[in-house]
């Protein structure tokens, strides 16, 4: 029984969350979030892994009856990466606006509510 | 909340999550095992539709509706980022002549850039076009295409990139790609009665004209993603290079 990759995924999630908690810069917080999301890639891909199996793309060398790893979780990981990239872009755009309006990107200095 | 309370809160919550996670993991099938029921069904369905790249088959044939949601998320986030990065009233555009941050690039870097630009675009088209046969597809190839265009920025000046990349054209391109995806979905609905159905004849397994609508979906997504990434990066570039704010507004 081997669970090591699953624990790597959980560790990445918690490490990313810890990065957000101790962040002193919004860009650092966004990157930490990306690391936490990377945990889900590792989890998904390790769920679909099979020993001595190849990539789920058939061709002249890989006949359709060979053992392949799970393509469903790979497709989910692709979705995950796209969503992660778009979220990162949106959050960075927000960080730019915050830096313009408040002159700081330190989350600790952004305590007051406005409006 | 001050820093130490936040740490206490995080470590309590984190420890709880860690315990639950470990508890969940030890009940899972061992890593690398042979039992993958979804894999068997997905591979079977993909081979039945003459698609060698099973991941593409899952994305555009078996769960096309999820992919529609995914590309809508992408579309919405590009629109959202564009709205967030609008130039404000205090900001003005800086013209190239009086910009103080012009890049000085080595001639060798520039030459490499001009060689790499067509090569990267070619690789991007290849990755999009063969998404049903080899690893790749619309999402991956679209990102390659968009970054390929930005080799020009590394190789030369922002102005050169700006001339090659009329943002409105790419905005329309993004919309076209998204609409093409939905249109293909409705074509499936009209022909077979189910949304996003694969209605084109599947062809021979492994040949370029095979796998039905999957390659068309790849092209639609490739157009949308490449244009969307270009638009997104254009707005970030504008913030970093073109706009200069009024210093008083930053207080």
């Amino acid at each position: 029984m081997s669970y090591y990759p699953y624990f790597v995924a959980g560790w990445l999630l918690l490490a990313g969350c810890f990065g957000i908690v101790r962040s002193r810069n919004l860009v650092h917080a966004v990157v930490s979030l990306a690391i936490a999301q990377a945990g889900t890639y590792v989890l998904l891909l390790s769920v679909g892994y099979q020993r001595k199996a190849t990539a789920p793309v058939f061709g002249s060398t890989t006949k359709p009856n060979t053992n392949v790893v799970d393509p469903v979780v790979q497709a989910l990981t692709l979705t995950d990466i796209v969503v992660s990239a778009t979220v990162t872009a949106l959050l960075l755009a927000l960080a730019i606006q915050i830096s313009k309006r408040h002159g700081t990107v330190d989350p600790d200095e952004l305590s007051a509510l406005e409006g | 909340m001050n820093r130490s309370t936040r740490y206490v809160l995080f470590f309590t919550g984190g420890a709880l999550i860690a315990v639950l996670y470990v508890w969940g993991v030890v009940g899972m099938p061992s890593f690398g095992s042979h039992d993958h029921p979804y894999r068997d069904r997905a591979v079977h369905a993909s081979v039945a539709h003459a698609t060698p790249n099973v991941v593409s088959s899952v994305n555009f044939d078996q769960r096309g509706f999820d992919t529609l949601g995914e590309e809508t998320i992408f579309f919405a986030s590009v629109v959202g980022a564009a709205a967030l990065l609008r130039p404000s009233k205090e900001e003005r555009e800086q013209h190239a002549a009086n910009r103080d941050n012009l890049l000085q690039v080595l001639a060798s870097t520039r030459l490499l850039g001009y060689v790499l630009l067509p090569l990267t675009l070619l690789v991007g088209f290849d990755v999009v076009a063969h998404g049903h046969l080899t690893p790749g597809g619309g999402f991956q190839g679209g990102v390659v295409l968009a970054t390929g265009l930005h080799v020009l920025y590394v190789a030369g000046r922002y102005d050169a990139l700006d001339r090659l990349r009329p943002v409105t054209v790419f905005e329309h391109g993004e919309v076209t790609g998204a609409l093409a995806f939905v249109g293909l979905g409705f074509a499936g609905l009209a022909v077979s009665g189910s949304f996003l159905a694969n209605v084109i004849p599947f062809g021979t397994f492994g040949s370029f004209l095979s796998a039905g609508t999957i390659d068309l979906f790849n092209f639609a997504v490739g157009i949308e993603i490449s244009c969307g990434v270009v638009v997104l990066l254009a707005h970030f570039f504008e913030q970093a290079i073109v706009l200069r704010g009024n210093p008083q507004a930053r207080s």
Side-chain angles (χ1 to χ4, degrees):
Chain A
M1 299 293 267
S2 165
Y3 296 115
Y4 182 65
Y6 302 147
F7 290 127
V8 171
W11 182 80
L12 277 173
L13 173 75
L14 287 176
C17 291
F18 182 57
I20 298 173
V21 168
R22 67 181 289 275
S23 173
R24 289 185 187 278
N25 185 318
L26 287 174
V27 177
H28 173 268
V30 174
V31 174
S32 301
L33 179 68
I35 288 170
Q37 283 183 311
T40 60
Y41 314 154
V42 175
L43 180 67
L44 282 170
L45 293 179
S46 41
V47 162
Y49 183 73
Q50 176 181 339
R51 287 210 166 73
K52 299 201 175 97
T54 179
V57 178
F58 300 116
S60 48
T61 50
T62 317
K63 298 290 175 223
N65 53 2
T66 32
N67 273 336
V68 292
V69 298
D70 195 340
V72 179
V73 286
Q74 296 203 351
L76 287 175
T77 310
L78 177 63
T79 309
D80 202 354
I81 290 170
V82 173
V83 172
S84 164
T86 58
V87 166
T88 305
L90 260 186
L91 289 176
L92 287 177
L94 273 174
I96 288 177
Q97 282 298 346
I98 288 170
S99 142
K100 271 195 220 163
R101 301 213 177 265
H102 300 277
T104 176
V105 285
D106 187 343
D108 285 350
E109 289 173 25
L110 298 165
S111 50
L113 282 173
E114 282 185 15
Chain B
M1 202 191 301
N2 68 20
R3 213 149 250 278
S4 48
T5 6
R6 205 190 300 167
Y7 283 142
V8 170
L9 196 66
F10 170 76
F11 282 112
T12 328
L16 202 67
I17 290 174
V19 168
L20 286 174
Y21 186 80
V22 170
W23 188 26
V25 158
V26 291
M28 274 169 64
S30 173
F31 171 73
S33 70
H34 291 267
D35 189 29
H36 293 286
Y38 289 119
R39 185 265 319 267
D40 301 338
R41 285 161 178 79
V43 166
H44 183 260
S46 168
V47 172
H49 282 192
T51 315
N53 183 354
V54 189
V55 179
S56 272
S57 173
V58 170
N59 266 328
F60 297 112
D61 198 353
Q62 298 170 33
R63 48 182 279 276
F65 199 63
D66 284 5
T67 310
L68 177 64
E70 173 185 356
E71 60 129 38
T72 314
I73 290 173
F74 177 81
F75 186 78
S77 99
V78 171
V79 173
L84 279 171
L85 295 176
R86 276 173 312 183
S88 64
K89 273 183 223 150
E90 301 93 46
E91 289 169 328
R92 62 196 160 76
E93 285 196 14
Q94 234 187 6
H95 290 290
N98 49 25
R99 204 178 289 157
D100 48 5
N101 47 6
L102 280 181
L103 284 175
Q104 296 296 317
V105 181
L106 287 176
S108 53
T109 315
R110 183 167 300 180
L111 178 69
L112 188 67
Y114 288 138
V115 174
L116 276 179
L117 173 68
L119 274 180
T120 324
L121 291 183
L122 196 68
V123 170
F125 278 119
D126 182 71
V127 171
V128 173
H130 293 92
H132 56 312
L133 300 176
T134 52
F139 288 104
Q140 300 90 325
V143 173
V144 174
L145 283 172
T147 40
L149 204 58
H150 290 88
V151 168
L152 207 59
Y153 169 68
V154 181
R157 297 224 315 261
Y158 178 70
D159 303 15
L161 174 68
D162 210 23
R163 274 200 300 274
L164 191 81
R165 180 210 59 182
V167 176
T168 37
V169 173
F170 284 92
E171 280 168 353
H172 288 109
E174 195 198 358
V175 177
T176 312
L179 284 179
F181 196 105
V182 180
L184 281 166
F186 278 112
L189 185 66
V191 174
S192 79
S194 49
F195 190 57
L196 294 162
N198 196 340
V199 285
I200 298 179
F202 301 129
T204 345
F205 188 85
S207 70
F208 180 70
L209 290 175
S210 68
T213 50
I214 289 178
D215 217 23
L216 297 176
F217 277 120
N218 269 328
F219 275 110
V221 169
I223 292 168
E224 190 200 339
I225 297 288
S226 55
C227 294
V229 172
V230 166
V231 172
L232 199 63
L233 287 177
H235 285 288
F236 279 106
F237 268 121
E238 194 181 49
Q239 290 291 325
I241 295 171
V242 183
L243 294 176
R244 279 293 167 271
N246 182 354
Q248 270 113 44
R250 287 168 188 245
S251 65

